[in-house]
mmCIF file of all heavy atoms in Angstrom:
data_model
loop_
_atom_site.group_PDB
_atom_site.id
_atom_site.type_symbol
_atom_site.label_atom_id
_atom_site.label_comp_id
_atom_site.label_asym_id
_atom_site.label_seq_id
_atom_site.Cartn_x
_atom_site.Cartn_y
_atom_site.Cartn_z
ATOM 1 N N VAL A 1235 -24.418 29.402 -95.812
ATOM 2 C CA VAL A 1235 -23.420 29.469 -96.869
ATOM 3 C C VAL A 1235 -23.766 28.333 -97.959
ATOM 4 O O VAL A 1235 -23.694 28.576 -99.155
ATOM 5 C CB VAL A 1235 -21.959 29.398 -96.381
ATOM 6 C CG1 VAL A 1235 -21.014 29.261 -97.407
ATOM 7 C CG2 VAL A 1235 -21.713 30.575 -95.462
ATOM 8 N N GLY A 1236 -24.021 27.170 -97.457
ATOM 9 C CA GLY A 1236 -24.395 26.020 -98.368
ATOM 10 C C GLY A 1236 -25.615 26.423 -99.194
ATOM 11 O O GLY A 1236 -25.651 26.209 -100.399
ATOM 12 N N SER A 1237 -26.553 26.908 -98.547
ATOM 13 C CA SER A 1237 -27.815 27.341 -99.285
ATOM 14 C C SER A 1237 -27.577 28.369 -100.240
ATOM 15 O O SER A 1237 -28.025 28.384 -101.368
ATOM 16 C CB SER A 1237 -28.882 27.758 -98.326
ATOM 17 O OG SER A 1237 -29.265 26.766 -97.425
ATOM 18 N N ALA A 1238 -26.792 29.346 -99.833
ATOM 19 C CA ALA A 1238 -26.393 30.498 -100.795
ATOM 20 C C ALA A 1238 -25.628 29.995 -101.931
ATOM 21 O O ALA A 1238 -25.813 30.409 -103.186
ATOM 22 C CB ALA A 1238 -25.486 31.487 -100.037
ATOM 23 N N LEU A 1239 -24.691 29.015 -101.733
ATOM 24 C CA LEU A 1239 -23.931 28.361 -102.907
ATOM 25 C C LEU A 1239 -24.908 27.655 -103.841
ATOM 26 O O LEU A 1239 -24.776 27.760 -105.032
ATOM 27 C CB LEU A 1239 -22.959 27.406 -102.276
ATOM 28 C CG LEU A 1239 -22.023 26.756 -103.318
ATOM 29 C CD1 LEU A 1239 -21.172 27.848 -103.993
ATOM 30 C CD2 LEU A 1239 -21.057 25.849 -102.626
ATOM 31 N N VAL A 1240 -25.887 26.897 -103.299
ATOM 32 C CA VAL A 1240 -26.800 26.198 -104.139
ATOM 33 C C VAL A 1240 -27.623 27.162 -104.949
ATOM 34 O O VAL A 1240 -27.875 26.990 -106.099
ATOM 35 C CB VAL A 1240 -27.795 25.240 -103.258
ATOM 36 C CG1 VAL A 1240 -28.867 24.830 -103.992
ATOM 37 C CG2 VAL A 1240 -26.815 24.128 -102.709
ATOM 38 N N VAL A 1241 -28.094 28.250 -104.309
ATOM 39 C CA VAL A 1241 -28.770 29.312 -105.010
ATOM 40 C C VAL A 1241 -28.079 29.951 -106.204
ATOM 41 O O VAL A 1241 -28.490 30.137 -107.288
ATOM 42 C CB VAL A 1241 -29.346 30.316 -103.973
ATOM 43 C CG1 VAL A 1241 -29.789 31.588 -104.734
ATOM 44 C CG2 VAL A 1241 -30.416 29.756 -103.111
ATOM 45 N N VAL A 1242 -26.727 30.147 -105.869
ATOM 46 C CA VAL A 1242 -25.894 30.738 -106.890
ATOM 47 C C VAL A 1242 -25.734 29.729 -108.074
ATOM 48 O O VAL A 1242 -25.695 30.178 -109.185
ATOM 49 C CB VAL A 1242 -24.517 31.140 -106.327
ATOM 50 C CG1 VAL A 1242 -23.492 31.476 -107.379
ATOM 51 C CG2 VAL A 1242 -24.645 32.380 -105.332
ATOM 52 N N LEU A 1243 -25.545 28.482 -107.730
ATOM 53 C CA LEU A 1243 -25.386 27.497 -108.807
ATOM 54 C C LEU A 1243 -26.610 27.415 -109.664
ATOM 55 O O LEU A 1243 -26.576 27.338 -110.904
ATOM 56 C CB LEU A 1243 -25.090 26.140 -108.261
ATOM 57 C CG LEU A 1243 -23.651 25.930 -107.679
ATOM 58 C CD1 LEU A 1243 -23.572 24.533 -107.020
ATOM 59 C CD2 LEU A 1243 -22.692 25.877 -108.787
ATOM 60 N N VAL A 1244 -27.764 27.389 -108.954
ATOM 61 C CA VAL A 1244 -29.064 27.300 -109.684
ATOM 62 C C VAL A 1244 -29.370 28.513 -110.576
ATOM 63 O O VAL A 1244 -29.764 28.500 -111.735
ATOM 64 C CB VAL A 1244 -30.182 27.002 -108.689
ATOM 65 C CG1 VAL A 1244 -31.546 27.064 -109.406
ATOM 66 C CG2 VAL A 1244 -30.032 25.650 -108.151
ATOM 67 N N VAL A 1245 -29.054 29.627 -109.906
ATOM 68 C CA VAL A 1245 -29.398 30.945 -110.616
ATOM 69 C C VAL A 1245 -28.423 31.362 -111.694
ATOM 70 O O VAL A 1245 -28.742 31.914 -112.709
ATOM 71 C CB VAL A 1245 -29.532 32.072 -109.584
ATOM 72 C CG1 VAL A 1245 -29.651 33.422 -110.279
ATOM 73 C CG2 VAL A 1245 -30.696 31.801 -108.676
ATOM 74 N N ALA A 1246 -27.165 31.077 -111.533
ATOM 75 C CA ALA A 1246 -26.089 31.588 -112.365
ATOM 76 C C ALA A 1246 -25.346 30.601 -113.242
ATOM 77 O O ALA A 1246 -25.280 30.708 -114.429
ATOM 78 C CB ALA A 1246 -25.042 32.387 -111.479
ATOM 79 N N VAL A 1247 -24.929 29.549 -112.686
ATOM 80 C CA VAL A 1247 -23.948 28.581 -113.438
ATOM 81 C C VAL A 1247 -24.836 27.789 -114.376
ATOM 82 O O VAL A 1247 -24.452 27.603 -115.565
ATOM 83 C CB VAL A 1247 -23.274 27.670 -112.404
ATOM 84 C CG1 VAL A 1247 -22.537 26.520 -113.144
ATOM 85 C CG2 VAL A 1247 -22.262 28.523 -111.549
ATOM 86 N N PHE A 1248 -25.912 27.103 -113.970
ATOM 87 C CA PHE A 1248 -26.580 26.253 -114.949
ATOM 88 C C PHE A 1248 -27.217 27.024 -116.030
ATOM 89 O O PHE A 1248 -27.029 26.571 -117.204
ATOM 90 C CB PHE A 1248 -27.676 25.493 -114.137
ATOM 91 C CG PHE A 1248 -27.122 24.496 -113.124
ATOM 92 C CD1 PHE A 1248 -27.736 24.406 -111.867
ATOM 93 C CD2 PHE A 1248 -26.004 23.626 -113.356
ATOM 94 C CE1 PHE A 1248 -27.175 23.636 -110.893
ATOM 95 C CE2 PHE A 1248 -25.534 22.787 -112.522
ATOM 96 C CZ PHE A 1248 -26.061 22.740 -111.251
ATOM 97 N N PRO A 1249 -27.799 28.153 -115.918
ATOM 98 C CA PRO A 1249 -28.270 28.866 -117.150
ATOM 99 C C PRO A 1249 -27.140 29.411 -117.933
ATOM 100 O O PRO A 1249 -27.203 29.449 -119.181
ATOM 101 C CB PRO A 1249 -28.985 30.027 -116.495
ATOM 102 C CG PRO A 1249 -29.393 29.628 -115.148
ATOM 103 C CD PRO A 1249 -28.363 28.701 -114.680
ATOM 104 N N THR A 1250 -26.009 29.704 -117.273
ATOM 105 C CA THR A 1250 -24.800 30.121 -118.132
ATOM 106 C C THR A 1250 -24.345 28.975 -119.026
ATOM 107 O O THR A 1250 -24.030 29.192 -120.157
ATOM 108 C CB THR A 1250 -23.708 30.679 -117.227
ATOM 109 O OG1 THR A 1250 -24.240 31.651 -116.347
ATOM 110 C CG2 THR A 1250 -22.498 31.077 -117.991
ATOM 111 N N ARG A 1251 -24.242 27.776 -118.498
ATOM 112 C CA ARG A 1251 -23.940 26.694 -119.382
ATOM 113 C C ARG A 1251 -24.822 26.361 -120.482
ATOM 114 O O ARG A 1251 -24.411 26.158 -121.621
ATOM 115 C CB ARG A 1251 -23.830 25.388 -118.404
ATOM 116 C CG ARG A 1251 -22.467 24.990 -118.046
ATOM 117 C CD ARG A 1251 -22.444 23.774 -117.217
ATOM 118 N NE ARG A 1251 -22.667 22.570 -118.144
ATOM 119 C CZ ARG A 1251 -23.030 21.331 -117.702
ATOM 120 N NH1 ARG A 1251 -23.229 21.145 -116.373
ATOM 121 N NH2 ARG A 1251 -23.141 20.423 -118.528
ATOM 122 N N THR A 1252 -26.090 26.489 -120.165
ATOM 123 C CA THR A 1252 -27.017 26.304 -121.238
ATOM 124 C C THR A 1252 -26.953 27.469 -122.315
ATOM 125 O O THR A 1252 -26.926 27.159 -123.504
ATOM 126 C CB THR A 1252 -28.510 26.389 -120.557
ATOM 127 O OG1 THR A 1252 -28.593 25.392 -119.587
ATOM 128 C CG2 THR A 1252 -29.551 26.147 -121.674
ATOM 129 N N TYR A 1253 -26.671 28.729 -121.793
ATOM 130 C CA TYR A 1253 -26.506 29.805 -122.730
ATOM 131 C C TYR A 1253 -25.274 29.491 -123.691
ATOM 132 O O TYR A 1253 -25.274 29.708 -124.825
ATOM 133 C CB TYR A 1253 -26.298 31.133 -122.037
ATOM 134 C CG TYR A 1253 -25.946 32.264 -122.771
ATOM 135 C CD1 TYR A 1253 -26.761 32.848 -123.797
ATOM 136 C CD2 TYR A 1253 -24.632 32.701 -122.809
ATOM 137 C CE1 TYR A 1253 -26.323 33.875 -124.595
ATOM 138 C CE2 TYR A 1253 -24.188 33.732 -123.529
ATOM 139 C CZ TYR A 1253 -25.079 34.340 -124.360
ATOM 140 O OH TYR A 1253 -24.585 35.312 -125.259
ATOM 141 N N LEU A 1254 -24.181 29.121 -123.055
ATOM 142 C CA LEU A 1254 -22.944 28.852 -123.861
ATOM 143 C C LEU A 1254 -23.164 27.675 -124.781
ATOM 144 O O LEU A 1254 -22.675 27.848 -125.980
ATOM 145 C CB LEU A 1254 -21.728 28.684 -122.841
ATOM 146 C CG LEU A 1254 -21.345 29.835 -122.024
ATOM 147 C CD1 LEU A 1254 -20.211 29.375 -121.103
ATOM 148 C CD2 LEU A 1254 -20.928 30.966 -122.898
ATOM 149 N N ASP A 1255 -23.798 26.647 -124.417
ATOM 150 C CA ASP A 1255 -24.126 25.583 -125.362
ATOM 151 C C ASP A 1255 -24.955 26.026 -126.416
ATOM 152 O O ASP A 1255 -24.671 25.646 -127.641
ATOM 153 C CB ASP A 1255 -24.812 24.438 -124.574
ATOM 154 C CG ASP A 1255 -23.887 23.692 -123.625
ATOM 155 O OD1 ASP A 1255 -22.650 23.814 -123.711
ATOM 156 O OD2 ASP A 1255 -24.385 22.926 -122.728
ATOM 157 N N GLN A 1256 -26.034 26.812 -126.202
ATOM 158 C CA GLN A 1256 -26.870 27.332 -127.255
ATOM 159 C C GLN A 1256 -26.101 28.209 -128.142
ATOM 160 O O GLN A 1256 -26.324 28.192 -129.313
ATOM 161 C CB GLN A 1256 -28.060 27.997 -126.639
ATOM 162 C CG GLN A 1256 -29.065 27.069 -125.987
ATOM 163 C CD GLN A 1256 -30.130 27.845 -125.266
ATOM 164 O OE1 GLN A 1256 -30.140 29.059 -125.184
ATOM 165 N NE2 GLN A 1256 -31.142 27.083 -124.918
ATOM 166 N N ARG A 1257 -25.202 28.968 -127.678
ATOM 167 C CA ARG A 1257 -24.446 29.991 -128.474
ATOM 168 C C ARG A 1257 -23.489 29.129 -129.444
ATOM 169 O O ARG A 1257 -23.435 29.415 -130.664
ATOM 170 C CB ARG A 1257 -23.613 30.944 -127.578
ATOM 171 C CG ARG A 1257 -22.982 32.034 -128.311
ATOM 172 C CD ARG A 1257 -22.115 32.902 -127.503
ATOM 173 N NE ARG A 1257 -21.118 32.175 -126.946
ATOM 174 C CZ ARG A 1257 -20.032 32.586 -126.108
ATOM 175 N NH1 ARG A 1257 -20.109 33.782 -125.797
ATOM 176 N NH2 ARG A 1257 -19.138 31.864 -125.718
ATOM 177 N N ASP A 1258 -22.891 28.141 -128.935
ATOM 178 C CA ASP A 1258 -22.054 27.276 -129.780
ATOM 179 C C ASP A 1258 -22.897 26.578 -130.888
ATOM 180 O O ASP A 1258 -22.500 26.524 -132.111
ATOM 181 C CB ASP A 1258 -21.322 26.296 -129.061
ATOM 182 C CG ASP A 1258 -20.289 26.814 -128.101
ATOM 183 O OD1 ASP A 1258 -19.847 28.015 -128.333
ATOM 184 O OD2 ASP A 1258 -19.829 26.100 -127.088
ATOM 185 N N GLU A 1259 -24.063 26.130 -130.509
ATOM 186 C CA GLU A 1259 -25.019 25.457 -131.464
ATOM 187 C C GLU A 1259 -25.394 26.422 -132.500
ATOM 188 O O GLU A 1259 -25.458 26.061 -133.704
ATOM 189 C CB GLU A 1259 -26.151 24.861 -130.720
ATOM 190 C CG GLU A 1259 -27.051 24.036 -131.579
ATOM 191 C CD GLU A 1259 -28.087 23.336 -130.816
ATOM 192 O OE1 GLU A 1259 -27.952 23.024 -129.577
ATOM 193 O OE2 GLU A 1259 -29.187 23.084 -131.365
ATOM 194 N N ILE A 1260 -25.792 27.691 -132.162
ATOM 195 C CA ILE A 1260 -26.188 28.616 -133.072
ATOM 196 C C ILE A 1260 -25.060 28.957 -134.105
ATOM 197 O O ILE A 1260 -25.251 29.064 -135.252
ATOM 198 C CB ILE A 1260 -26.582 30.003 -132.438
ATOM 199 C CG1 ILE A 1260 -27.923 29.696 -131.667
ATOM 200 C CG2 ILE A 1260 -26.745 31.135 -133.331
ATOM 201 C CD1 ILE A 1260 -28.411 30.763 -130.762
ATOM 202 N N ALA A 1261 -23.802 29.004 -133.539
ATOM 203 C CA ALA A 1261 -22.743 29.269 -134.459
ATOM 204 C C ALA A 1261 -22.417 28.172 -135.390
ATOM 205 O O ALA A 1261 -22.259 28.417 -136.605
ATOM 206 C CB ALA A 1261 -21.427 29.524 -133.648
ATOM 207 N N SER A 1262 -22.549 26.960 -135.029
ATOM 208 C CA SER A 1262 -22.385 25.828 -135.957
ATOM 209 C C SER A 1262 -23.518 25.761 -136.974
ATOM 210 O O SER A 1262 -23.227 25.518 -138.147
ATOM 211 C CB SER A 1262 -22.213 24.531 -135.126
ATOM 212 O OG SER A 1262 -23.528 24.310 -134.626
#
């Protein structure tokens, strides 16, 4: 379960944060 959580964080959360930051920067 811990490994699955780490994989989910690496695959989904971190790229999503980067995507949202880039989207805000593009809008500005």
